[in-house]
Amino acid sequence: MNASLFNARILPLKPSTPPPSTMATTASRFRCLYTPLIRSSPFLSSTTIRCLATQSSPTDPPKRRPTYFKDALNSVPSFSEFLGQNEPQSLSDSEAYELKTALVGPAGRRKTITRLPSWLKTPIPDNENYKKIKKDLRGLNLHTVCEEARCPNISDCWGGSDKSAATATIMLMGDTCTRGCRFCSVKTSKAPPPLDPHEPEHTAEALSRWGLGYVVLTSVDRDDLIDGGARHFTETIMKIKQKKPDMLVEALTGDYSGDLEMVAMVANSGLDVYAHNMETVEELTPMVRDRRAKYRQSLAVLDAAKKTVPDLITKTSIMLGLGETEDQLWETLRELRKVNVDVVTFGQYMRPTKRHMKVEEYITPDVFELWRQRALDLGFLYCASGPLVRSSYKAGEAFIENVLKKRRGVTVLGDVRTGAKKAVV
């Protein structure tokens, strides 16, 4: 091989030097390609500056930031957009109160049932205050109508921020009733267990421990006892007043088989509110209540309590949705005013089990509000009316705030039994 050719191959080639004008053009084009675009500068005019390597366009699109996972989540359409609706449409009153049905049961034996309306649904009780109250009750062997009657408001009444905000209705004389009303889920027996002689003391101790300002006492009917349990009831109220005189006590009693002397005994025990429930109108009483519970007998109980202690507040409760008519309700309210009943409550009847009488109608909240106003127009001191209202529901809030606080300051009430005077704030 020729040595000159070999040397030519291994020697580096010298680049040819371009003319000065060509070098300037290449350098400027290189800088335009590899340097970022100058967005703005105080030394430049507002006119858009382009390098030779950029294309001409009326507006340059802004630089887009990277896409993150949260952007994908936020881009999901809403429920109304998913259904093809731009804005949710508000329902009319008739549509909102429309009852919904459902088919249940195995194939071939399906039946249509009416679902519980939305205004009657309540949360399941599960908080610390509920558990504490239940533990205290079990430890003292006490019963409540909240549990025995399967009240839907137990989560509200027992679930206050603290025990002083809670309301529990203590059920005296055991958990077994001698009567069998078709609406009530309390268990029944002809021969229930004997009374607990320590119950009055235990009840007073539990209530003083909770620090309540208002308490409701009720009881099962005890037709197996000579006095119907009136003396046991009276002793419990007296024990409570001894331990905490400023506590307001409401007694929701039975009819004591029409023995008005027993009614007078309980009325003179020092309680603040005497309550006895009419439950329903006169025409439906034989079908709804036990045969021993009579409409006129219940009116006589409320009348006797008022006549025994004229300053005593008397109270009753009526269930709606059993098939009653407006005329029947009007007549019942007039009968109650004739015996000077001060407070009436209206609530929706809810079927505890399939063994109990069925619901004839679900009353809407608007109708409950209508009857509340009608009761006030008739002269009742206070009326609580609503689908979930019960005779003792939220007694501390509904009753004290709406009735006792109407007596501004301190009203001195005379005690007919002792001649002493007590103050109600």
Side-chain angles (χ1 to χ4, degrees):
M1 182 181 295
N2 192 350
S4 62
L5 292 175
F6 177 77
N7 295 333
R9 289 183 179 178
I10 62 175
L11 292 175
L13 297 175
K14 294 182 179 180
S16 59
T17 302
S21 61
T22 306
M23 290 178 62
T25 304
T26 304
S28 62
R29 188 182 299 271
F30 180 82
R31 283 195 298 270
C32 289
L33 289 174
Y34 295 100
T35 56
L37 181 65
I38 300 175
R39 297 289 181 182
S40 61
S41 173
F43 305 103
L44 299 176
S45 65
S46 60
T47 307
T48 303
I49 301 174
R50 289 191 305 108
C51 294
L52 297 176
T54 59
Q55 298 180 354
S56 174
S57 60
T59 56
D60 292 334
K63 187 178 180 181
R64 187 176 180 181
R65 68 177 180 82
T67 302
Y68 299 100
F69 179 70
K70 63 182 181 180
D71 298 324
L73 290 178
N74 294 333
S75 64
V76 175
S78 64
F79 184 70
S80 59
E81 293 174 345
F82 178 76
L83 295 178
Q85 301 175 353
N86 294 330
E87 295 182 358
Q89 300 177 355
S90 59
L91 299 177
S92 62
D93 291 343
S94 59
E95 292 174 331
Y97 293 151
E98 183 180 0
L99 298 179
K100 297 178 175 57
T101 58
L103 289 174
V104 297
R109 291 187 298 171
R110 290 183 174 271
K111 62 179 181 178
T112 302
I113 63 169
T114 302
R115 290 191 176 276
L116 192 67
S118 58
W119 61 84
L120 289 175
K121 295 181 179 179
T122 56
I124 298 174
D126 185 22
N127 59 18
E128 290 302 322
N129 200 40
Y130 169 83
K131 296 175 183 177
K132 289 177 183 178
I133 292 179
K134 189 170 184 178
K135 184 179 178 180
D136 287 347
L137 292 169
R138 296 295 83 82
L140 294 170
N141 195 26
L142 298 177
H143 305 278
T144 65
V145 73
C146 316
E147 296 173 297
E148 302 299 332
R150 304 184 183 187
C151 181
N153 302 314
I154 192 170
S155 60
D156 289 339
C157 289
W158 291 20
S161 58
D162 53 18
K163 285 186 178 180
S164 62
T167 302
T169 302
I170 304 296
M171 189 165 69
L172 303 175
M173 297 187 282
D175 61 351
T176 306
C177 186
T178 55
R179 299 185 183 182
C181 298
R182 295 184 62 198
F183 65 89
C184 183
S185 65
V186 176
K187 55 187 177 182
T188 62
S189 174
K190 291 182 179 179
L195 299 181
D196 179 9
H198 303 292
E199 187 177 49
E201 181 66 29
H202 288 171
T203 302
E205 178 63 27
L207 296 176
S208 61
R209 193 184 292 178
W210 292 344
L212 301 177
Y214 191 102
V215 64
V216 182
L217 302 177
T218 187
S219 70
V220 293
D221 284 298
R222 294 297 300 261
D223 298 299
D224 58 319
L225 303 175
I226 296 176
D227 63 348
R231 289 178 176 83
H232 191 86
F233 216 128
T234 301
E235 183 183 357
T236 304
I237 296 172
M238 289 181 173
K239 291 280 187 183
I240 294 172
K241 288 294 185 177
Q242 287 174 4
K243 288 184 177 291
K244 196 170 183 182
D246 58 340
M247 179 181 291
L248 298 172
V249 179
E250 174 185 332
L252 176 58
T253 73
D255 55 20
Y256 302 115
S257 300
D259 190 344
L260 300 184
E261 290 185 3
M262 299 299 103
V263 175
M265 178 189 295
V266 177
N268 282 323
S269 62
L271 78 168
D272 301 281
V273 181
Y274 194 109
H276 176 71
N277 290 343
M278 300 295 298
E279 307 296 1
T280 186
V281 298
E282 185 174 13
E283 290 79 2
L284 296 180
T285 296
M287 287 76 73
V288 174
R289 304 174 71 185
D290 186 271
R291 59 180 177 81
R292 289 164 286 187
K294 301 176 179 61
Y295 179 86
R296 294 294 165 183
Q297 186 169 275
S298 294
L299 278 177
V301 168
L302 292 167
D303 188 26
K306 194 71 171 180
K307 289 179 178 178
T308 302
V309 184
D311 291 329
L312 192 65
I313 294 176
T314 52
K315 176 182 175 183
T316 192
S317 181
I318 299 174
M319 295 180 292
L320 302 185
L322 295 169
E324 65 284 337
T325 64
E326 282 202 7
D327 292 338
Q328 293 169 351
L329 278 175
W330 273 117
E331 183 60 28
T332 302
L333 292 178
R334 293 189 187 100
E335 294 277 2
L336 291 172
R337 287 303 301 143
K338 287 179 182 178
V339 294
N340 297 316
V341 173
D342 300 301
V343 179
V344 64
T345 65
F346 294 104
Q348 170 71 53
Y349 165 64
M350 297 175 68
R351 191 182 191 182
T353 68
K354 293 182 179 179
R355 297 182 292 105
H356 295 81
M357 62 185 304
K358 67 176 183 178
V359 179
E360 294 294 333
E361 182 184 4
Y362 285 113
I363 310 299
T364 62
D366 291 344
V367 176
F368 276 106
E369 175 60 24
L370 177 64
W371 280 109
R372 187 191 72 84
Q373 190 59 50
R374 287 174 175 176
L376 295 177
D377 292 341
L378 281 177
F380 286 95
L381 183 63
Y382 173 66
C383 175
S385 180
L388 292 173
V389 169
R390 295 297 181 263
S391 178
S392 56
Y393 172 51
K394 285 292 186 183
E397 296 176 11
F399 191 79
I400 289 179
E401 292 181 3
N402 294 279
V403 178
L404 297 181
K405 284 188 177 180
K406 285 188 176 181
R407 303 175 179 182
R408 303 297 297 181
V410 177
T411 302
V412 179
L413 304 180
D415 193 328
V416 176
R417 179 177 57 87
T418 62
K421 294 185 177 181
K422 56 183 178 179
V424 179
V425 179

